[in-house]
Amino acid sequence: GAGVSQSPSNKVTEKGKDVELRCDPISGHTALYWYRQSLGQGLEFLIYFQGNSAPDKSGLPSDRFSAERTGGSVSTLTIQRTQQEDSAVYLCASSLLPGGPGELFFGEGSRLTVL
Amino acid sequence: GENVEQHPSTLSVQEGDSAVIKCTYSDSASNYFPWYKQELGKRPQLIIDIRSNVGEKKDQRIAVTLNKTAKHFSLHITETQPEDSAVYFCAASSASGGSYIPTFGRGTSLIVHP
């Protein structure tokens, strides 16, 4: 049983470029979350997917950020026209959610550095 | 929306001492309060959680207390060991419209000196 898998683990890009970050959740987990962790900061919520429901995008910081989840499994977070303030670790998590809140299983994260 | 405050931001103790981390939340509808431990360079992992129908929960050297009236909850670690050194995050979550989105505190860096 593999855990949550994220790729790439590290990404260095130039300001203005687009980046895509991928998340493979635990099989069977219906909920998928993206959080951002900046140096010395907490976990900032970005977006939440639950089953076939419309995603909760309330945490996305700007319209340069978007995410999709295909087939209820793999998710991709896209950041367009990256800025230096986008530099952070992007964490994906999945949860089984058997009718109530429960444990989030996090991936190792994708560390994004924008030069 | 929910707002979670966590204190202190840094906590330094000697091995064997106790450590207490406190969190407050704003949304009275929150009913699930997990604590995550993140070791340096690793992913956050759940160490203990509590639901609103209980006031205290223990697991070996770790305990969590919840005061719903005051909207605060705390993590207690007894007999601390160097391997307890990590960043600890509290979170609060409610079932808003069927969504369970934890709001996290800013974290407490716990340093246990041998």
Side-chain angles (χ1 to χ4, degrees), chain A residues 10-82:
Chain A
N10 274 289
K11 176 72 177 179
V12 180
T13 190
E14 293 179 346
K15 177 182 172 181
K17 300 281 190 183
D18 297 352
V19 295
E20 282 190 353
L21 307 176
R22 176 189 167 103
C23 173
D24 255 300
I26 293 172
S27 178
H29 280 195
T30 59
L32 187 147
Y33 307 77
W34 283 97
Y35 284 86
R36 178 168 71 176
Q37 185 172 30
S38 303
L39 188 62
Q41 301 297 305
L43 301 171
E44 176 190 4
F45 167 71
L46 298 177
I47 189 169
Y48 164 76
F49 296 89
Q50 166 57 11
N52 296 320
S53 303
D56 185 326
K57 306 178 182 179
S58 60
L60 294 179
S62 78
D63 58 9
R64 296 186 296 104
F65 288 72
S66 63
E68 63 177 20
R69 187 179 186 190
T70 54
S73 182
V74 171
S75 177
T76 302
L77 176 68
T78 302
I79 309 173
Q80 296 178 310
R81 305 181 301 283
T82 52

Side-chain angles (χ1 to χ4, degrees), chain B residues 29-81:
Chain B
S30 287
N31 58 4
Y32 176 65
F33 307 91
W35 286 86
Y36 286 81
K37 175 183 180 182
Q38 186 178 31
E39 296 178 1
L40 191 63
K42 301 285 184 63
R43 70 188 80 191
Q45 291 188 296
L46 180 75
I47 56 170
I48 195 167
D49 57 14
I50 191 167
R51 298 180 192 270
S52 60
N53 57 344
V54 296
E56 184 175 2
K57 184 177 178 180
K58 286 185 179 180
D59 182 3
Q60 298 182 359
R61 296 185 296 109
I62 295 173
V64 58
T65 58
L66 171 64
N67 183 327
K68 285 219 72 180
T69 303
K71 294 206 204 87
H72 75 70
F73 56 114
S74 301
L75 177 71
H76 304 253
I77 306 174
T78 58
E79 300 170 29
T80 53
Q81 300 168 3

